[in-house]
Amino acid sequence: MTQTHDLSATRMAAAVRTGEVSPVELADHYLARIERLNEQVGAYATVTAERAREEARQAEKAVMDAADPADLPPLHGVPIPIKDLNMVNGVRVTLGSGVYSDLTGFADDNVVTLLRQAGSVLLGKTTTPEFGLPCYTEGAVAPPARTPWDLSRSAGGSSGGAAAAVASGLAPIAQGSDGGGSIRIPSSVCGLFGIKPTRGRVSQGPVVPDLFGLSTNGPIARTVRDAALLLDVMAGHMPGDLYAAPPVEGTFASHAERPPGRLRIARSMEPAVPGAEVHPDCVAAYEAASELLEELGHEVVELPRVLGPELVPHFEMLWGVMATITPVADESEHLLQPLTRWLRARGEATTAPQLFQAHAALQGALRAAFPVMDEFDAILHPTLAQPPAPIGYFHDQEPAENFARQERFTPFTAPYNISGQPAVNVPLYWTSDAETSGLPIGVMLAGRLGGEGTLISLSAQLEEARPWIGRKPAIWTA
């Protein structure tokens, strides 16, 4: 029996316009599921039930009053949550930290403004780790975000709550952000499709600076078409943004309907992080994806080493400095998580010359790497080096070991934050674990700068060849 949350966001938006589905029914359905199931999966830090119902009533009235419902905005009446790193005016924003547990948003982030203009209904704020720094979502503000495929395991981070919500049927689609893998990591461990767009494609403003250009907003979804639709809504350069992405021909949604043609695809399973070992399940997913790409007619070749372990210390330096950007009063320092305090101490000990030298080293490496990478239409990697990690695997360690484990878990994602290239997680593979429904193991495809359209076309082809929409965790039918 089809349930409301079985609908894709694209189908849901069409059903709202035709009157087949009511925005009020949608909001009530998701709010009821959140009330029943959120404590199990840790998807939401804040639920905006009253606001969601009011926005849904307004959306329903707009459908009835419209001369032509086809003219309504693309996500009219569709419920969408916002990550708790992003500010929504008048709504609690914690940044995943006990330091900000009582802060109310005083502005809308640009991406929030665009989602509201697209007609979406705000369900609430999804959980994130403190300041979005770790690759898992555990802390003092909300219950841990868990993958619904095995509730003893983490949903990843830092968009862990967003992925847990979509994978559990607590939201049809979600906004996330990615500074070192934070969309692709949770998408992989939750069995979802996620896009980290090209640097400058989606605005970080007006409050959050984009000084290093590592982080960007992006979509997390169950289908390629849903993610492409959400990216169309989120994309846009705003005054004051330091970066601007190359233009794209047509809409991202239109690329989901186009065959990609025969592509030249490089692949690499060589991690940039020293000591990282790729788990057999991740190897199996990578090899299966390689075989499928060849079956679909693409040329698949080995990628020469372009970005190596010598870059890791430079990225670590930037990450520590980024941890210092969020202001914390001296009297509130004790409320920070141990990992955050450790990272901030490293950042505060970094001198300006050291920071500029790290930037220069990364730019020099990219100048040599881009001519090699640009020879290919896409590059295939495992998304992660290990299957979904148990709750506490990172968080229960001392900070230095915690951070080292995170690096070994995610050795493939951060290079594309450094380069600014677009990258996606594609959920093509599940383990045959007899004790669970199988654990999702994603693969990552990266593209040229501005190449989201190619990645979307290729991902849609993979989705058609190996559909994953029918795979649902047990909690889906709860």
Side-chain angles (χ1 to χ4, degrees):
M1 178 178 175
T2 300
Q3 303 181 80
T4 299
H5 57 281
D6 286 322
L7 297 174
S8 69
T10 302
R11 175 74 181 88
M12 198 174 286
V16 166
R17 291 190 197 92
T18 62
E20 180 183 350
V21 173
S22 156
V24 172
E25 292 172 359
L26 289 176
D28 286 342
H29 177 82
Y30 281 105
L31 290 170
R33 283 187 64 81
I34 292 168
E35 185 176 357
R36 289 198 309 274
L37 303 173
N38 187 55
E39 190 66 25
Q40 295 181 49
V41 297
Y44 287 85
T46 300
V47 180
T48 53
E50 185 176 338
R51 176 170 175 158
R53 290 191 173 99
E54 177 56 31
E55 290 180 353
R57 285 191 289 269
Q58 294 174 7
E60 187 167 282
K61 184 176 185 302
V63 173
M64 293 186 293
D65 293 346
D68 184 355
D71 294 333
L72 292 168
L75 292 171
H76 188 81
V78 177
I80 298 178
I82 298 295
K83 185 175 176 179
D84 204 25
L85 288 184
N86 293 82
M87 196 170 288
V88 179
N89 192 24
V91 176
R92 177 182 182 234
V93 53
T94 73
L95 309 180
S97 175
V99 174
Y100 288 96
S101 59
D102 60 354
L103 177 64
T104 299
F106 51 83
D108 280 344
D109 274 4
N110 289 334
V111 70
V112 172
T113 299
L114 293 172
L115 284 167
R116 187 179 65 250
Q117 292 172 352
S120 67
V121 170
L122 178 68
L123 285 173
K125 305 294 292 297
T126 54
T127 53
T128 187
E130 192 160 62
F131 305 160
L133 296 170
C135 72
Y136 61 92
T137 304
E138 300 169 46
V141 173
R146 303 170 185 268
T147 175
W149 297 93
D150 179 349
L151 293 173
S152 72
R153 298 175 186 261
S154 171
S158 63
S159 304
V166 176
S168 304
L170 306 189
I173 198 168
Q175 168 267 344
S177 58
D178 189 317
S182 291
I183 285 172
R184 291 158 288 159
I185 295 163
S187 294
S188 178
V189 300
C190 291
L192 301 170
F193 182 75
I195 304 176
K196 183 200 85 68
T198 296
R199 176 179 295 148
R201 180 72 67 204
V202 182
S203 176
Q204 289 284 91
V207 177
V208 177
D210 52 4
L211 303 177
F212 297 156
L214 294 177
S215 186
T216 180
N217 292 280
I220 295 176
R222 293 169 57 224
T223 74
V224 175
R225 285 162 180 78
D226 281 0
L229 173 62
L230 185 54
L231 184 56
D232 277 323
V233 167
M234 297 168 68
H237 182 80
M238 300 293 183
D241 290 346
L242 293 181
Y243 305 99
V248 172
E249 179 187 350
T251 65
F252 294 114
S254 70
H255 282 273
E257 309 300 331
R258 299 182 192 177
R262 187 173 190 267
L263 303 180
R264 188 163 188 253
I265 299 171
R267 72 172 202 157
S268 174
M269 199 175 62
E270 188 175 6
V273 174
E277 296 182 2
V278 184
H279 188 278
D281 286 333
C282 300
V283 174
Y286 170 79
E287 295 293 354
S290 300
E291 292 174 10
L292 177 56
L293 289 166
E294 290 183 327
E295 288 174 16
L296 293 170
H298 303 294
E299 178 188 6
V300 180
V301 300
E302 298 298 323
L303 177 71
R305 166 73 87 175
V306 287
L307 298 173
E310 68 278 1
L311 300 185
V312 173
H314 302 307
F315 180 80
E316 290 176 344
M317 184 174 290
L318 263 62
W319 205 249
V321 172
M322 282 179 62
T324 70
I325 290 176
T326 305
V328 177
D330 291 344
E331 61 271 21
S332 299
E333 285 278 345
H334 70 283
L335 296 172
L336 293 173
Q337 297 290 299
L339 176 69
T340 308
R341 289 199 298 271
W342 182 78
L343 286 168
R344 286 169 67 89
R346 293 180 61 161
E348 289 163 357
T350 302
T351 66
Q354 288 172 329
L355 181 60
F356 280 115
Q357 288 163 9
H359 266 296
L362 292 172
Q363 185 180 19
L366 289 171
R367 282 176 166 158
F370 272 123
V372 178
M373 294 190 291
D374 285 347
E375 293 180 8
F376 306 102
D377 299 295
I379 301 172
L380 172 71
H381 304 277
T383 301
L384 298 170
Q386 301 169 30
I391 295 291
Y393 174 76
F394 308 107
H395 192 62
D396 293 347
Q397 308 304 312
E398 291 299 315
E401 175 61 18
N402 177 335
F403 196 65
R405 288 188 178 196
Q406 291 187 63
E407 288 185 315
R408 294 193 296 267
F409 185 66
T410 65
F412 301 104
T413 54
Y416 294 106
N417 296 87
I418 295 170
S419 71
Q421 293 165 262
V424 301
N425 177 76
V426 190
L428 290 175
Y429 187 88
W430 269 255
T431 68
S432 56
D433 191 329
E435 296 181 1
T436 69
S437 305
L439 295 174
I441 307 287
V443 293
M444 181 171 66
L445 289 164
R448 299 186 183 101
L449 289 169
E452 293 98 319
T454 298
L455 294 181
I456 288 169
S457 295
L458 177 57
S459 299
Q461 184 187 51
L462 292 169
E463 182 181 25
E464 183 177 5
R466 297 286 189 276
W468 57 76
I469 192 67
R471 286 187 173 271
K472 300 182 177 76
I475 202 172
W476 189 266
T477 57

